[in-house]
Amino acid sequence: MIPNQWYAILRSQDVRTDRPTGARRLGKELVAWRNRAGRVVLQDARCPHKGASLARGRLYGDSIGCPYHDFRFGADGACKLAPCLGPGARIPASMRIDTHPVREQNGLVWMWWGQDLDVLPEVQVPPEVADKPALYATSTWSQPVHYTRYIESLLDFYHVPVVHRDHWFNYADYMGWGGTLKKLGLDGRRRYIAMTKVEKSRLEVDGTTLRHYFELCQHDDPTNRNFLRVTFTFPGMVHIHALPFDVTIWMTPIDDNNTQVLFRWYEDERMKNVLRFPAARRIVPRLALFAQKRVQEVQDMNVVKSIEPRATGRGVNRFVAADELNAKYVVMRDQLKKEAAAAMAGERPPAALVADGAAAAPAE
């Protein structure tokens, strides 16, 4: 895990005003809730009294109550009331929980994991995601894999025609990616499986955002090809743009062995000409997410769960030229971890942050 980063931990819709929401992220048991003003509060979930989970508690406007003895904690983490002592009683100052910096942006809840800084950097969301006006649906699930291996499964997109075949649902991919109008899409499977070669590869580095432009093609048929752009932003966001679809995936460690996934599927812009109402157009992204979780995700994880070692790093993989994006990710991740460790040891702002709180490009 890379310190001094904003991590996407929940969808905004997951945090409510009527009950708390529990989540395990970055090795911590957390509880999220909204105060009277609707602002998200994110805190450690364990009550300091006897360790009960506040995620099972109740909300009282601007405080959260423990389900065991109803000790109540405010947004600042201090205990405001211990019912067993009565109103106005002196409560030990140590009876408090940690409150974590949190931001709500792009329909997600973000947690700062790292140094306590007077000025925190902005949440890094590249323009192809931040400025995307398209309608979308977002789903969430977890997988028992290290988050670096999950990220790698998205960075080397040329695995798609190898892994995603033979299930009945994959025929939708065959027709969308490889099928020709002349053959009414019936040649899609043959052409899809044949698109295994990476050509016209180009990598751009923009601060902590990497963009890989390339084409997947058939080595003996240059007309059978598809353009893709894979954008990665640290610590764990991947946006994939292809002609048939656009998706964004945020990956956050639950712990060293499990990863939480926030998967967003955007509508096909062409659907606006077919379906007028947004509610109807949102059905297609929701169906795509349903299939992603139950078909493509299963196919991917059948491979990823078996990978050893469980986490990636320098010297772990033997890359080829097509792995330019993956190789750069491994190098920059190692660099960012070292910068953050040095900054935290010296209690100084990390090198990748400038004084006004904006993100600067890491040194090459």
Side-chain angles (χ1 to χ4, degrees):
M1 291 176 254
I2 310 172
N4 294 327
Q5 300 282 336
W6 286 103
Y7 286 86
I9 62 168
L10 292 164
R11 299 173 298 179
S12 290
Q13 69 196 65
D14 296 328
V15 187
R16 298 165 49 171
T17 57
D18 60 341
R19 60 173 174 78
T21 299
R24 180 171 173 80
R25 303 288 186 272
L26 300 156
K28 285 181 168 289
E29 296 292 340
L30 302 168
V31 62
W33 50 283
R34 293 185 185 274
N35 62 15
R36 286 193 178 96
R39 296 190 182 91
V40 176
V41 179
L42 184 68
Q43 299 173 310
D44 283 357
R46 293 298 169 187
C47 178
H49 180 218
K50 290 191 175 180
S53 174
L54 295 172
R56 296 176 176 270
R58 299 179 181 86
L59 297 183
Y60 298 93
D62 291 329
S63 64
I64 183 171
C66 174
Y68 200 1
H69 303 97
D70 206 25
F71 282 34
R72 300 181 192 180
F73 302 87
D76 62 355
C79 184
K80 308 297 185 183
L81 173 67
C84 61
L85 300 178
R90 180 183 176 278
I91 301 173
S94 60
M95 190 66 68
R96 62 177 300 111
I97 54 177
D98 286 341
T99 298
H100 302 283
V102 64
R103 288 189 183 168
E104 197 169 2
Q105 183 174 317
N106 295 101
L108 302 174
V109 175
W110 304 76
M111 171 186 174
W112 173 257
W113 192 70
Q115 287 175 276
D116 292 328
L117 302 175
D118 292 334
V119 179
L120 293 174
E122 296 300 316
V123 175
Q124 295 302 295
V125 179
E128 50 263 68
V129 175
D131 300 336
K132 195 167 183 58
L135 178 147
Y136 58 76
T138 308
S139 189
T140 181
W141 56 78
S142 62
Q143 291 291 355
V145 299
H146 193 274
Y147 84 106
T148 56
R149 290 302 195 183
Y150 197 110
I151 288 172
E152 284 190 331
S153 75
L154 298 169
L155 298 185
D156 65 352
F157 207 73
Y158 64 89
H159 79 268
V160 168
V162 179
V163 175
H164 300 298
R165 58 170 77 184
D166 299 330
H167 190 281
W168 66 265
F169 183 81
N170 293 139
Y171 277 86
D173 293 327
Y174 303 156
M175 296 183 68
W177 278 59
T180 62
L181 185 61
K182 182 179 180 181
K183 296 292 182 68
L184 301 178
L186 298 178
D187 56 346
R189 185 177 189 278
R190 175 186 60 79
R191 288 167 57 83
Y192 173 92
I193 292 174
M195 281 190 291
T196 57
K197 186 179 180 182
V198 176
E199 286 190 347
K200 300 183 179 180
S201 176
R202 177 167 59 91
L203 180 67
E204 291 181 355
V205 180
D206 179 14
T208 55
T209 293
L210 310 174
R211 292 182 179 88
H212 187 205
Y213 305 84
F214 63 99
E215 292 183 6
L216 271 182
C217 67
Q218 181 176 337
H219 72 92
D220 57 353
D221 181 2
T223 66
N224 183 22
R225 62 178 59 236
N226 266 287
F227 167 81
L228 294 103
R229 183 184 71 234
V230 178
T231 303
F232 176 78
T233 297
F234 281 94
M237 187 223 79
V238 174
H239 178 79
I240 300 170
H241 169 74
L243 290 180
F245 62 88
D246 268 277
V247 296
T248 307
I249 309 98
W250 290 269
M251 292 138 287
T252 294
I254 295 174
D255 50 38
D256 285 337
N257 297 308
N258 299 277
T259 299
Q260 189 69 27
V261 181
L262 293 161
F263 205 114
R264 179 168 293 175
W265 200 293
Y266 302 90
E267 73 166 339
D268 187 330
E269 292 285 342
R270 293 170 294 185
M271 292 300 294
K272 291 181 179 179
N273 299 323
V274 180
L275 298 173
R276 178 176 299 180
F277 302 105
R281 300 206 309 271
R282 192 174 279 111
I283 293 175
V284 175
R286 285 176 175 169
L287 290 174
L289 285 173
F290 180 87
Q292 172 66 34
K293 182 178 180 180
R294 287 159 180 80
V295 181
Q296 289 97 326
E297 186 85 0
V298 173
Q299 292 172 322
D300 279 330
M301 292 303 110
N302 283 340
V303 177
V304 177
K305 288 176 185 177
S306 67
I307 293 175
E308 293 290 345
R310 289 182 63 82
T312 194
R314 287 195 175 189
V316 169
N317 305 309
R318 297 292 179 266
F319 291 124
V320 296
D323 295 313
E324 188 177 11
L325 173 59
N326 202 157
K328 189 65 175 177
Y329 160 70
V330 169
V331 171
M332 286 186 64
R333 176 175 177 267
D334 183 63
Q335 176 185 331
L336 289 171
K337 287 180 67 177
K338 288 179 178 177
E339 287 181 359
M344 295 175 78
E347 290 301 318
R348 57 183 175 79
L353 305 181
V354 294
D356 63 0
E364 291 292 336

